[in-house]
Amino acid sequence: METDLRLESSLWIGNKRYRAVLTGWHLKWTEADKKNGDKKTVSVPVAEVVGVENGRVEILPQKSVEDTDKDFTVFYIKRSRSRSTYGLLWSLGRTQFSCPSRVLRDQWTNHLRTALKTHSPLRPHRLLVFINPFGGKKKGREIYHSLVAPLFELAGISSHVIVTERANQARDHLLKKDLTGFDGVVCVGGDGMFSEVLHGLIGRTQQEAGLCETDPAVTLQPCPLHIGIIPAGSTDCVCYATVGVIDPVSSALHIIIDSQPLDVCSVHHASTLVRYSVSLVGYGFYGDVLAESEKHRWMGPLRYDYSGTVVYLSNRSYAGIVQYLPADPLLSSPKDKTRCLSGCNVCSRSTERLFPHTSDSGSLYSSHFSQYSNDSEGEWVSVEGRFRCVSITCMSSSCARSPLGLSPSAHLADGTGDLILVWDTHPLSFLKFLYRHTSTQDQFDLPFVEVHRVKAVRFSLPDGREEEVHEGIGELNRAIEEREYVDTVSRNGSQQQLAQSVVERETMNEHKTVASILCGLCCKKTPAVSVWNCDGEILPFTEIFCRIHGQLVRLYARGIEDGAAMQNCSQESDKNKSRCITYK
Ligand SMILES: Nc1ncnc2c1ncn2[C@@H]1O[C@H](COP(=O)(O)OP(=O)(O)OP(=O)(O)O)[C@@H](O)[C@H]1O
Ligand SMILES: CCCCCCCCCCCCC/C=C/[C@@H](O)[C@H](CO)NC(=O)CCCCC
Ligand SMILES: [Ca+2]
């Protein structure tokens, strides 16, 4: 195969002559008229060629084609460091080659296209795209049509685009409509849109397999369709943690060439499935922040900072019983200071265990999904007390607010989640814990913080707390109502007037906030229960059971690339370094 695809000739880039070689794995070109020591070789892995066009062609920012006889243009992945994140930005590299004859030009383009088909057989051909026109800064449509669609066209991908008109339209479509012919689903939006697609695809796959999603003991069927994310939301945590940057062009290029399995946590209450999560299932602080932020949606992404401050000042902790099933400690630890990077060994070993009969990317479509049991997995552990927060995350959950994330050493696809227990502590100590999320300081190196790598978690309320719960809520509401009454009556004279005015309703919310802050600071009359934040949605239950399902879905991504390692790659990349690429 390698021999058949090999092609070597002189080619021109501008007025310089190059010796160009196409082997099975790489396209390389070296300046021909230089002394040996000065010769630089550019090497592009075939796996990173996005498209090949006849003539002199430009795609972004605008398409332009000069249809000449002896020229061809190669488009490929180009990397640069991101100033604000740890990941690498991808852009579309482009080189226009000129040949001495049209025959040679056709030979080059045919060989390159054949090499692409041979070495990248799993690239998508047809995608279903959902655009949320209201996500984040409401730029989803514009982002897709100007930056993403031209790249898909270049890569020969056809797409069926649906601009959503209501929440849950994407989920319902995926649950009910014909999906024949699609290789994957792309969501243009934020974590909420991703969650819709996740629920739609997991639900559809289980329906078709005749499996019962509600039973936490059932081994779920992995989804055959991939999920791609074009970030256009407020947090874009799933994109950040799986690609390393929030950049629509980088994400579009990942959709064209990549595949990355991802663990999913199913959340159950009694005998119902409540939701799926990939990022955060959080009780206490994160639940309260989300609940508070819902009152201030008009603030946009800033609502989380505002609500974070309000909730922090209200100084709450909650009683609970947490039971967890530890994962095999011999495989990895959330405190081992490693990071899950693209090509991660811990995740690869997990793939081997989850899909024992396939070792390569063929496992993508494998129907083998046997729940492994491992002798080194421990017994259930139970802890009880007061917590500032209880969080479970299947991945690092890094985002712009926290570039290393909730659990910096968590793995995307190892079949485990990290359980973070933050015991009740002094407000300043808790602030230290929160603050460490924004830097490289270790947030787990604090005496009131525990982190465990787990397969499953159960959360329940201590016995007899129900009364306290109601009492707590009742007292808080009475305190809020009292303050509201005093405030409104002194300003307006009548509560009815207040209820009729939208502006004043907003003021009422502010008063509620102030009341709850005062409650937290002075009276300590806080509710005895918090709410669960599940990837940005509030759960309607307090007592839950969570189970991690290893590699239940596949994303069009590759995990975070190690910027330093990429720069150290030699120019003469071999097969093992096929992801290395150097540019002048
Ligand atoms: N056409 C629509 N109208 C109203 N809501 C929609 C529509 N399409 C999708 N949604 C819902 O909007 C919610 C938020 O969308 P999305 O996640 O795209 O943006 P975001 O909230 O700004 O970002 P993030 O979730 O990253 O914070 C989603 O939960 C989704 O269900
Ligand atoms: C003094 C400085 C304090 C700084 C504190 C920073 C702590 C940041 C930790 C980062 C946590 C990200 C967790 C990800 C959650 C997402 O799945 C979810 C959906 O988008 N977002 C929220 O729930 C939105 C709510 C996020 C709560 C912060
Ligand atoms: Ca994991």
Side-chain angles (χ1 to χ4, degrees):
M1 183 166 62
E2 180 110 343
T3 332
D4 287 342
L5 286 176
R6 190 181 166 87
L7 183 61
E8 184 165 357
S9 82
S10 283
L11 294 176
W12 275 258
I13 302 173
N15 55 10
K16 284 190 183 154
R17 193 166 66 91
Y18 287 78
R19 195 69 200 158
V21 187
L22 173 68
T23 64
W25 299 100
H26 287 89
L27 168 66
K28 299 178 190 176
W29 57 97
T30 312
E31 239 180 287
D33 303 319
K34 282 215 163 156
K35 284 187 196 144
N36 270 348
D38 298 337
K39 283 184 181 175
K40 277 196 188 130
T41 299
V42 178
S43 175
V44 177
V46 169
E48 296 192 358
V49 171
V50 179
V52 182
E53 297 280 313
N54 285 338
R56 305 172 78 78
V57 180
E58 174 85 273
I59 299 289
L60 292 176
Q62 221 102 59
K63 185 163 184 178
S64 73
V65 180
E66 212 185 307
D67 198 4
T68 50
D69 268 3
K70 297 175 187 168
D71 300 322
F72 67 97
T73 309
V74 180
F75 296 91
Y76 46 85
I77 310 287
K78 209 171 147 179
R79 292 173 173 80
S80 59
R81 273 179 179 277
S82 156
R83 278 201 200 120
S84 54
T85 68
Y86 288 90
L88 291 173
L89 281 166
W90 284 13
S91 58
L92 189 65
R94 178 182 64 116
T95 301
Q96 292 172 342
F97 295 95
S98 299
C99 304
S101 69
R102 183 185 180 137
V103 175
L104 187 61
R105 194 276 304 264
D106 290 345
Q107 226 180 334
W108 269 103
T109 51
N110 288 338
H111 269 68
L112 277 164
R113 286 180 186 135
T114 312
L116 264 184
K117 278 204 188 107
T118 314
H119 293 298
S120 307
L122 298 176
R123 286 191 187 186
H125 297 288
R126 187 153 168 73
L127 294 172
L128 177 56
V129 179
F130 291 102
I131 303 177
N132 175 3
F134 304 115
K137 294 184 183 143
K138 304 185 174 54
K139 295 233 164 94
R141 252 187 292 215
E142 192 184 319
I143 288 173
Y144 181 77
H145 291 293
S146 63
L147 299 174
V148 179
L151 295 176
F152 285 177
E153 192 192 327
L154 171 68
I157 298 170
S158 72
S159 30
H160 178 69
V161 179
I162 298 175
V163 178
T164 60
E165 288 169 4
R166 61 171 177 90
N168 291 325
Q169 184 181 339
R171 184 201 62 188
D172 295 346
H173 186 109
L174 294 171
L175 284 172
K176 290 179 202 138
K177 297 280 161 78
D178 184 13
L179 303 177
T180 317
F182 290 111
D183 301 306
V185 181
V186 171
C187 50
V188 184
D191 293 329
M193 259 324 255
F194 171 81
S195 182
E196 276 199 33
V197 170
L198 181 81
H199 283 81
L201 281 184
I202 298 178
R204 177 66 175 263
T205 309
Q206 310 322 309
Q207 261 173 40
E208 288 184 354
L211 291 171
C212 171
E213 282 178 278
T214 57
D215 181 356
V218 163
T219 298
L220 299 177
Q221 185 78 20
C223 299
L225 269 67
H226 276 63
I227 308 177
I229 310 169
I230 300 295
S234 308
T235 318
D236 301 315
C237 173
V238 186
C239 178
Y240 196 107
T242 56
V243 175
V245 290
I246 300 297
D247 174 55
V249 170
S250 300
S251 289
L253 294 169
H254 279 282
I255 290 172
I256 294 166
I257 75 166
D258 273 333
S259 173
Q260 164 74 49
L262 190 66
D263 298 335
V264 177
C265 173
S266 61
V267 183
H268 306 260
H269 170 79
S271 53
T272 55
L273 167 77
V274 188
R275 275 190 89 79
Y276 293 107
S277 155
V278 296
S279 161
L280 167 70
V281 185
Y283 186 78
F285 181 75
Y286 295 113
D288 293 349
V289 171
L290 183 66
E292 181 63 34
S293 72
E294 288 300 303
K295 297 183 217 154
H296 311 289
R297 287 201 77 88
W298 59 271
M299 288 186 189
L302 267 183
R303 67 188 183 275
Y304 296 125
D305 301 296
Y306 173 77
S307 308
T309 311
V310 169
V311 171
Y312 170 75
L313 289 173
S314 69
N315 193 28
R316 298 177 205 168
S317 65
Y318 299 95
I321 302 169
V322 182
Q323 291 164 290
Y324 59 90
L325 184 63
D328 183 349
L330 299 173
L331 298 175
S332 65
S333 151
K335 293 182 98 168
D336 63 14
K337 299 266 169 74
T338 60
R339 290 199 71 205
C340 178
L341 299 171
S342 70
C344 169
N345 280 332
V346 173
C347 294
S348 307
R349 283 201 293 272
S350 176
T351 310
E352 284 298 313
R353 291 197 317 270
L354 289 163
F355 306 96
H357 304 298
T358 47
S359 57
D360 59 9
S361 52
S363 64
L364 254 170
Y365 304 107
S366 165
S367 59
H368 298 282
F369 186 74
S370 52
Q371 170 67 24
Y372 61 89
S373 71
N374 193 320
D375 288 343
S376 0
E377 261 165 32
E379 299 289 306
W380 281 89
V381 179
S382 182
V383 288
E384 178 173 351
R386 290 195 74 79
F387 302 96
R388 288 274 175 169
C389 51
V390 174
S391 311
I392 302 140
T393 182
C394 286
M395 57 182 199
S396 71
S397 285
S398 53
C399 61
R401 265 184 202 82
S402 173
L404 290 178
L406 287 174
S407 190
S409 296
H411 290 272
L412 290 172
D414 65 339
T416 76
D418 288 352
L419 167 68
I420 304 152
L421 300 175
V422 183
W423 295 89
D424 195 7
T425 186
H426 189 272
L428 285 178
S429 305
F430 185 53
L431 186 63
K432 194 183 216 178
F433 167 76
L434 290 177
Y435 183 74
R436 287 192 179 183
H437 286 79
T438 63
S439 68
T440 49
Q441 275 185 296
D442 185 355
Q443 65 260 37
F444 301 145
D445 188 18
L446 291 166
F448 55 90
V449 180
E450 276 179 39
V451 58
H452 304 280
R453 192 143 283 174
V454 299
K455 303 281 299 170
V457 177
R458 180 177 288 119
F459 181 87
S460 49
L461 293 169
D463 279 344
R465 283 292 154 114
E466 254 89 320
E467 254 176 49
E468 214 179 297
V469 167
H470 294 300
E471 246 175 57
I473 292 173
E475 281 181 35
L476 176 63
N477 284 339
R478 272 195 299 281
I480 291 171
E481 276 160 21
E482 256 170 46
R483 278 177 177 87
E484 261 165 26
Y485 180 77
V486 172
D487 287 333
T488 35
V489 171
S490 63
R491 277 185 313 118
N492 297 335
S494 131
Q495 269 201 325
Q496 213 174 357
Q497 277 173 315
L498 176 81
Q500 283 162 359
S501 151
V502 174
V503 178
E504 286 178 6
R505 207 172 295 154
E506 198 48 56
T507 318
M508 190 165 95
N509 272 339
E510 279 166 28
H511 284 221
K512 273 191 184 173
T513 303
V514 173
S516 61
I517 294 171
L518 290 176
C519 256
L521 291 179
C522 310
C523 339
K524 295 206 185 307
K525 296 279 163 51
T526 61
V529 277
S530 174
V531 287
W532 283 98
N533 173 344
C534 179
D535 290 359
E537 291 287 326
I538 293 172
L539 298 184
F541 303 105
T542 314
E543 301 202 310
I544 58 169
F545 176 85
C546 300
R547 174 180 168 191
I548 318 298
H549 300 262
Q551 308 194 358
L552 190 58
V553 292
R554 282 196 165 257
L555 301 189
Y556 289 121
R558 71 164 51 167
I560 316 285
E561 284 187 328
D562 183 351
M566 281 291 157
Q567 281 190 343
N568 292 336
C569 286
S570 79
Q571 290 192 325
E572 287 302 313
S573 317
D574 57 24
K575 187 185 159 193
N576 293 333
K577 294 175 189 161
S578 65
R579 283 176 172 172
C580 301
I581 186 164
T582 47
Y583 295 103
K584 283 187 281 181

